[in-house]
Amino acid sequence: MNPAVIFDGVVDGLQLGLLAVGLTLLYGLGGILNLAHGQIAVLGGITAALLLDAGWGALPAAAMAVVAATAAGLVLDQTIMRPVYRERGEDRILLSLLVTLGVGFVIDGLLVWRYPSEALTLRVGSGSVEVLGITMRVGSLYASAITIVAIGLVIGFLRATRAGRAVRSVIEDEVGAELVGVNPSAVRTLIFGLSGALAGLFAVTQSMTSPVTSSSGVSYTILALIVTVVGGLGSATGALLAGLILGIVNAISAAEIGSYITSIILLAAAALTILVRPSGLLGRTE
Amino acid sequence: MLEVEGLDVGYGPSTVVHGVSFTVAEGEAVAIIGSNGAGKTTTLRAIAGLLQAGAGRVNFDGHDILGEAAHVVSRRGLAYVPAERHLFGGMPVHENLALGAHPDKPDPDRLRQVYDLFPRLEERRNQTARTMSGGEQQMLAVGRALMSRPRLLILDEPTTGLAPKLASEAYAALSTLRGEGLTVLVAEQQVPLALDLADRGYVIEDGRVELDGTSEQLRGNPDVQRAYLGIA
């Protein structure tokens, strides 16, 4: 097998990890499964595409993709999610599914209606370079570097800062967190914003290797869900690990069998994980 | 320090606690005793802000705290240790304690005091909370609550799931804390232990305060002896 396939898998896998981190943290934070996650990423991506059309430079446009997606996350948290937070346990999970599914449809519908042929493509550098004897597109390298730094910062934030520790305390035990003076709703707002920012960043890095079209939101959401399930809900490191594994699996199956079969293989990998390890690779076992 | 007046609490349409009133003065240890399902936990959860009360008034240190969110109540200096403990199971002991200090205020001196009170926790400082024994988890729950230097420590059934020897040890630690001047409110089914610790007690039955008095008076009361002390 061509080692470049593995490399491509790693590049894709990092992207998947970046997309899933926001989703998995939000789920860990008391059962909010955000089915609009991919659409929020695309919202950021299309914002950047429109700004590029309007003559903005690549860097400010990319920054606005992150800003727009962050804002979308924060607006969701402050408005339509409020009634969801009032529920606890399974009721909250179910209500969050229904509400965010609706939000996802709305964002997707609006984007496809208003900007049917809009897509974000960021050209960074040009051509390709040799890395370890493998020919890599410059865009892939930029995308991977940005993603590694971003995920590293998130994991560092969670592990080493006091705010990050407060976030983990809510993931571990919401009542326990309240009892030590942590305000779970403030933590949720923080993570909703962070999750949006990461989704926007995903749109930026993704667009360095393949176009982010106005209709790609649903498939991003599904990919993020698969990665989240495999990695373990609530674990940022798990999302990264699962992203890498699935990215490599995806690349190998696309090269060896054919790209038509890859989504089936990804879903099968997710199903297998649930059978063998219901809490995911790095999920919490109760 | 804590005044509870006419507290009504329920779940949905059914009221479990009816007009409960009691007080805890600064430096005092007070026990709430009663059998399983009498309404002790419900009362404490409402005071701690984890449960909405239907009616009543709770004054802590001059503030009306009823209706405030649990994290606000905690920051006022009222530390609640629930029977289920609600530890951060996937985190090591030292992180549980660090969070107890309120995440934005590290407090190494206090950590030293907690480790001195529970040397076992220091031995296990890197162990994950979930993997510890029941007695150790109870120490950690109390230790975590103490980290915030609370003015009032409220414990719900600190002996839940503990063998008799460990239950006595838990109360020995509470007694040490009392000696240091901490105000303590404890709900307990193990009445002899609770009355040994407390200055005063309230007996709750069917969501109502049926009896109150000094620990001495309660120990001498024939009804208490029959129902809770196993003396015929």
Side-chain angles (χ1 to χ4, degrees):
Chain A
M1 192 196 324
N2 185 348
V5 169
I6 306 283
F7 236 84
D8 282 346
V10 171
V11 171
D12 272 353
L14 286 169
Q15 295 294 301
L16 290 175
L18 178 62
L19 183 61
V21 165
L23 193 75
T24 201
L25 285 179
L26 209 44
Y27 186 78
L29 232 51
I32 300 139
L33 204 44
N34 180 12
L35 291 184
H37 192 61
Q39 286 86 334
I40 288 176
V42 172
L43 182 73
I46 297 304
T47 304
L50 293 171
L51 291 173
L52 285 175
D53 291 350
W56 285 47
L59 204 59
M64 287 311 289
V66 176
V67 170
T70 308
L74 291 175
V75 167
L76 259 186
D77 171 68
Q78 292 295 317
T79 57
I80 200 164
M81 296 307 289
R82 292 279 125 178
V84 176
Y85 298 151
R86 264 178 243 134
E87 305 294 330
R88 298 243 169 191
E90 288 186 1
D91 287 349
R92 187 191 285 175
I93 299 176
L94 200 61
L95 196 56
S96 78
L97 282 174
L98 293 173
V99 166
T100 58
L101 186 67
V103 170
F105 278 136
V106 169
I107 297 176
D108 196 65
L110 284 173
L111 289 176
V112 173
W113 170 50
R114 296 297 301 174
Y115 312 107
S117 56
E118 194 66 58
L120 177 65
T121 309
L122 281 177
R123 276 177 247 287
V124 282
S126 57
S128 48
V129 286
E130 290 245 327
V131 181
L132 306 170
I134 297 164
T135 311
M136 296 279 300
R137 280 185 297 167
V138 175
S140 300
L141 288 180
Y142 270 104
S144 301
I146 294 171
T147 302
I148 289 170
V149 170
I151 297 181
L153 285 175
V154 170
I155 293 175
F157 162 73
L158 290 172
R159 293 250 166 107
T161 68
R162 282 181 224 147
R165 188 179 265 161
V167 171
R168 283 188 296 131
S169 78
V170 178
I171 292 177
E172 286 283 341
D173 193 311
E174 190 170 327
V175 172
E178 286 181 83
L179 291 178
V180 298
V182 174
N183 179 358
S185 100
V187 168
R188 261 194 307 264
T189 303
L190 174 75
I191 294 301
F192 237 118
L194 179 68
S195 167
L198 294 171
L201 190 65
F202 163 81
V204 169
T205 56
Q206 180 71 17
S207 73
M208 294 175 180
T209 57
S210 54
V212 173
T213 67
S214 52
S215 60
S216 35
V218 176
S219 56
Y220 290 158
T221 297
I222 291 171
L223 281 174
L225 277 174
I226 294 175
V227 177
T228 298
V229 165
V230 172
L233 295 161
S235 166
T237 323
L240 177 61
L241 187 66
L244 284 172
I245 292 173
L246 292 176
I248 294 169
V249 167
N250 190 28
I252 293 176
S253 53
E256 302 290 315
I257 309 171
S259 54
Y260 59 91
I261 203 111
T262 56
S263 34
I264 296 173
I265 289 184
L266 284 186
L267 279 169
L272 195 70
T273 312
I274 294 172
L275 280 176
V276 178
R277 242 187 103 78
S279 56
L281 294 176
L282 297 184
R284 291 164 299 143
T285 40
E286 294 304 329
Chain B
M1 174 178 277
L2 183 75
E3 291 160 35
V4 177
E5 241 183 72
L7 194 65
D8 281 0
V9 202
Y11 301 91
S14 67
T15 310
V16 181
V17 169
H18 312 272
V20 163
S21 301
F22 62 91
T23 60
V24 183
E26 180 142 22
E28 224 184 359
V30 172
I32 297 181
I33 58 184
S35 48
N36 200 10
K40 305 187 297 296
T41 298
T42 307
T43 304
L44 297 189
R45 282 175 62 88
I47 294 170
L50 291 172
L51 208 59
Q52 193 101 40
R57 208 176 62 83
V58 176
N59 192 290
F60 174 61
D61 262 351
H63 302 278
D64 269 321
I65 60 166
L66 201 60
E68 286 187 342
H71 69 271
V72 179
V73 174
S74 157
R75 283 174 180 266
R76 288 197 185 281
L78 186 157
Y80 172 54
V81 181
E84 323 83 74
R85 299 178 190 126
H86 287 285
L87 293 171
F88 306 121
M91 294 189 192
V93 167
H94 68 88
E95 270 199 304
N96 271 274
L97 293 175
L99 273 159
H102 290 164
D104 47 4
K105 297 178 215 147
D107 193 344
D109 295 347
R110 188 58 168 180
L111 185 64
R112 191 62 260 151
Q113 290 171 358
V114 169
Y115 278 153
D116 287 344
L117 181 67
F118 300 116
R120 190 74 186 223
L121 292 182
E122 189 165 24
E123 288 165 29
R124 308 253 155 149
R125 60 186 305 281
N126 290 316
Q127 190 175 337
T128 310
R130 185 181 296 126
T131 63
M132 299 204 304
S133 73
E136 289 163 348
Q137 289 192 10
Q138 185 57 41
M139 288 179 202
L140 182 54
V142 174
R144 186 181 71 177
L146 291 175
M147 284 301 292
S148 63
R149 299 177 183 268
R151 311 227 321 113
L152 170 64
L153 180 66
I154 300 185
L155 302 115
D156 188 14
E157 309 260 356
T159 56
T160 301
L162 299 190
K165 182 168 168 287
L166 287 172
S168 313
E169 278 179 25
Y171 269 88
L174 293 179
S175 161
T176 308
L177 290 168
R178 272 226 57 197
E180 292 166 6
L182 183 67
T183 312
V184 179
L185 173 65
V186 61
E188 188 56 89
Q189 291 186 60
Q190 305 226 23
V191 176
L193 282 174
L195 289 183
D196 282 349
L197 176 79
D199 304 301
R200 293 189 299 117
Y202 295 83
V203 178
I204 294 194
E205 275 165 21
D206 294 326
R208 290 185 174 80
V209 175
E210 292 293 336
L211 200 61
D212 70 89
T214 64
S215 297
E216 211 50 50
Q217 288 167 341
L218 291 177
R219 257 192 299 257
N221 182 296
D223 292 336
V224 173
Q225 289 180 346
R226 202 175 319 110
Y228 303 108
L229 298 176
I231 302 168

